């Protein structure tokens, strides 16, 4: 794996760095990625963007819970990998490290990353469908209904057709527009508005680096493409 001298120099002196991650950063932890999930059935004959949609919460909330309960139980056995730990180390290295993730698995936080901007929510939280009260499901069951207002709870994740958490994208976009170095790690960059962040960084003059074993919709926009697994490539920056 060759990392250019230009990137090594930039990495050595950069102050403001933004990292955007997707399912690929958790692949080496055993978390299945989505690709191929888009058009094929992922759950009980349903496509991913059908079972994980706002419309499904309206139509069949118990089915949505079954899907996320299954994934949460699966995640329970999994731990962060070297990619998560390397990114966590970067928050000590750079004056301003912004970590933005599309992942709902919480593995960045488990690896020690703080202030993670979770664009699509977190699978370990439940949220009231009426008053918005949230409930942790880390080592505890969720209540059957909201303890504040008695209304049903839903997974605190952003489903297709739903707005991102208030301010999350705006903060990420603001950081992208002033960063010097932008790493895009393990994402197919097909889901918006998340996939728009590297474009914002690029337009603002940042050096954009992709880390992915495959080319993506974003590769042509990047200044440098590091073709490989995140858990093997990121530790090369130590
Ligand atoms: C919204 C949580 C406003 C739930 C998720 C503009 C154009 C077109 C469509 C739209 C648009 N704007 C909005 C849309 C609609 C839609 C969208 O983008 N659709 C896509 C499919 C075209 N967006 C939305 O609905 C968003 N909301 O826009 O609200 C609005 C509101 C009302 C009406 C209109 C607009 C909300 C999107 C969020 C949905 N929730 N997740 C759950 O998890 O179930 S999205 C989910 O899928 C993930 O969070 C992630 O974002 C995406 C999957 O992508 P990746 O993470 O990149 O994973 P993938 O498997 O695809 O790729 C993995 C990559 O890793 C691969 O490239 C692979 O090569 C690589 N890899 C593999 N191993 C490794 C590796 N890389 C490194 N190391 C390895 N070892
Ligand atoms: Zn409530």
């Amino acid at each position: 794996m060759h990392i250019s001298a230009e990137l090594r120099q930039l990495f050595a002196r950069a102050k403001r760095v933004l990292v955007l991650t997707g399912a690929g950063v958790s692949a080496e932890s055993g978390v299945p990625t989505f690709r191929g999930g888009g058009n094929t059935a992922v759950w009980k004959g349903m496509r991913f963007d059908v079972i994980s949609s706002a419309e499904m919460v309206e139509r069949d909330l118990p089915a949505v819970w079954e899907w996320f309960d299954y994934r949460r139980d699966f995640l329970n056995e999994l731990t962060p990998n070297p990619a998560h730990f390397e990114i966590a180390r970067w928050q000590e290295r750079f004056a301003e490290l912004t970590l933005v993730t599309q992942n709902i698995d919480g593995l960045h936080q488990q690896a020690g990353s703080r202030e993670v901007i979770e664009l699509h929510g977190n699978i370990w939280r439940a949220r009231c469908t009426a008053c918005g009260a949230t409930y942790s499901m880390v080592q505890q069951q969720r209540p059957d209904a909201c303890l504040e207002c008695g209304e049903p709870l839903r997974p605190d994740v952003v489903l297709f057709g739903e707005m991102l958490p208030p301010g999350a994208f705006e903060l990420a976009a603001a950081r992208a527009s002033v960063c010097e170095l932008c790493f895009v790690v393990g994402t197919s960059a097909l889901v918006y508005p998340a996939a728009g962040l590297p474009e914002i960084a690029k337009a603002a003059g940042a050096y954009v680096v992709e880390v992915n074993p495959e080319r993506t919709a974003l590769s042509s926009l990047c200044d440098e493409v590091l073709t490989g697994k995140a858990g093997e490539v990121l530790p090369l920056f130590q």
Side-chain angles (χ1 to χ4, degrees), residues 41 52 84 86-87 107 109 120 166-167 234:
S52 279
H84 297 108
E86 185 60 28
I87 292 168
L107 290 175
Q109 294 91 330
H120 297 161
L234 296 184

Side-chain angles (χ1 to χ4, degrees), residues 21-28 32-37 48-49 51-53 67-68 71 81 83 101-104 119-121 157-164 185-194 210-216 228-232:
T21 65
V25 80
S26 295
E28 292 152 89
T33 65
F34 297 86
R35 246 351 65 197
F48 165 52
D49 54 3
I51 181 67
S52 279
S53 68
W67 161 232
F68 285 97
R71 292 165 67 184
N81 68 65
T101 190
Q102 299 165 78
N103 301 343
I104 63 176
L119 290 179
H120 297 161
V157 300
V158 178
L159 301 173
F160 283 98
E162 292 185 330
M163 304 301 276
L164 274 52
V185 183
T187 185
S188 56
L190 296 173
V191 171
Y192 282 77
E210 181 174 59
V211 179
N212 196 311
E214 293 172 15
R215 287 193 67 76
T216 72
K229 295 181 173 183
E232 296 165 5

Side-chain angles (χ1 to χ4, degrees), residues 127-133 135 145-153:
R127 186 177 83 234
C128 174
T129 52
C131 75
Y135 301 84
C146 178
L147 303 177
E148 311 288 326
C149 73
E151 290 298 311
L153 301 180

Side-chain angles (χ1 to χ4, degrees), residues 4-225:
S4 72
E6 181 180 8
L7 175 50
R8 288 224 177 263
Q9 278 158 16
L10 195 50
F11 188 85
R13 70 167 189 273
K15 292 194 177 17
R16 293 183 302 281
V17 176
L18 183 131
V19 180
L20 172 68
T21 65
V25 80
S26 295
E28 292 152 89
S29 295
V31 182
T33 65
F34 297 86
R35 246 351 65 197
N39 303 315
T40 52
V42 294
W43 181 255
K44 301 202 170 178
M46 285 181 276
R47 283 179 13 185
F48 165 52
D49 54 3
V50 171
I51 181 67
S52 279
S53 68
E55 185 247 335
M56 187 58 78
V57 167
E58 302 306 317
R59 187 145 49 98
D60 188 350
L61 181 52
V64 173
W65 268 125
E66 222 186 332
W67 161 232
F68 285 97
D69 290 347
Y70 162 78
R71 292 165 67 184
R72 209 175 45 258
D73 294 347
F74 187 88
L75 275 172
N76 227 357
E77 316 307 314
L78 306 182
T79 56
N81 68 65
H84 297 108
F85 290 115
E86 185 60 28
I87 292 168
R89 271 193 289 277
W90 290 1
Q91 64 194 345
E92 317 306 333
R93 186 192 183 101
F94 298 106
E96 189 181 281
L97 185 277
T98 302
L99 174 55
V100 185
T101 190
Q102 299 165 78
N103 301 343
I104 63 176
D105 57 31
L107 290 175
H108 281 301
Q109 294 91 330
Q110 277 187 44
S113 285
R114 300 182 302 274
E115 297 165 44
V116 180
I117 300 177
E118 295 179 305
L119 290 179
H120 297 161
N122 187 298
I123 199 170
W124 298 97
R125 280 194 311 267
R127 186 177 83 234
C128 174
T129 52
C131 75
T134 59
Y135 301 84
S136 170
M137 290 183 278
V138 176
Q139 271 109 29
Q140 57 190 308
Q141 291 302 314
R142 61 175 173 273
D144 297 340
C146 178
L147 303 177
E148 311 288 326
C149 73
E151 290 298 311
L153 301 180
R154 54 157 289 162
D156 191 17
V157 300
V158 178
L159 301 173
F160 283 98
E162 292 185 330
M163 304 301 276
L164 274 52
F169 184 77
E170 292 72 14
L171 175 58
R175 295 286 182 77
S177 65
V178 296
C179 73
E180 301 148 277
L181 185 52
C182 172
F183 282 90
V184 185
V185 183
T187 185
S188 56
L190 296 173
V191 171
Y192 282 77
L197 286 171
E199 291 152 5
I200 294 171
K202 179 72 179 175
Y207 192 86
V208 182
V209 180
E210 181 174 59
V211 179
N212 196 311
E214 293 172 15
R215 287 193 67 76
T216 72
L218 209 62
S219 304
S220 53
L221 172 141
C222 293
D223 298 283
E224 190 158 341
V225 173

